[in-house]
Amino acid sequence: MLDSPAGDSFRYALNPELLKLYAAIVVGLSGLSLSQYDLFDALVEPLGFLLSAPFFLFGLVFSVGGVVGVLHRVLSDTRKTPE
């Protein structure tokens, strides 16, 4: 059914290893957005920052790590010589 180059690209993009990295990016971005809400500002200001900082760092690490992982995977696959 999908024997064209577009089908090959679609199958590559939905590789289970890449899906895990996509999920890491989504989880990281949701952590970043959660840290930006005013959920923690109802408390005292320094305490609100201390509560939101771990969410920000968690989101930053996961989103950047996922993007770097996807780029590494794609670039390493393009440098492989066909057998």
Side-chain angles (χ1 to χ4, degrees), residues 6-65:
D8 291 338
S9 299
F10 189 68
R11 277 191 295 277
Y12 180 78
L14 294 179
N15 184 352
E17 294 177 11
L18 286 175
L19 288 177
K20 292 175 190 173
L21 293 171
Y22 300 151
I25 294 170
V26 170
V27 167
L29 291 176
S30 64
L32 282 173
S33 66
L34 181 64
S35 72
Q36 300 302 315
Y37 287 131
D38 292 336
L39 299 174
F40 306 113
D41 286 343
L43 302 170
V44 180
E45 180 62 33
L47 185 59
F49 171 75
L50 291 176
L51 290 175
S52 66
F55 288 102
F56 177 78
L57 292 176
F58 168 80
L60 185 67
V61 167
F62 265 69
S63 59
V64 170

Side-chain angles (χ1 to χ4, degrees), residues 66-81:
V67 169
V68 169
V70 167
L71 289 176
H72 178 267
R73 170 70 190 228
V74 170
L75 290 176
S76 66
D77 284 348
T78 57
R79 291 184 182 184
K80 289 183 182 177
T81 57

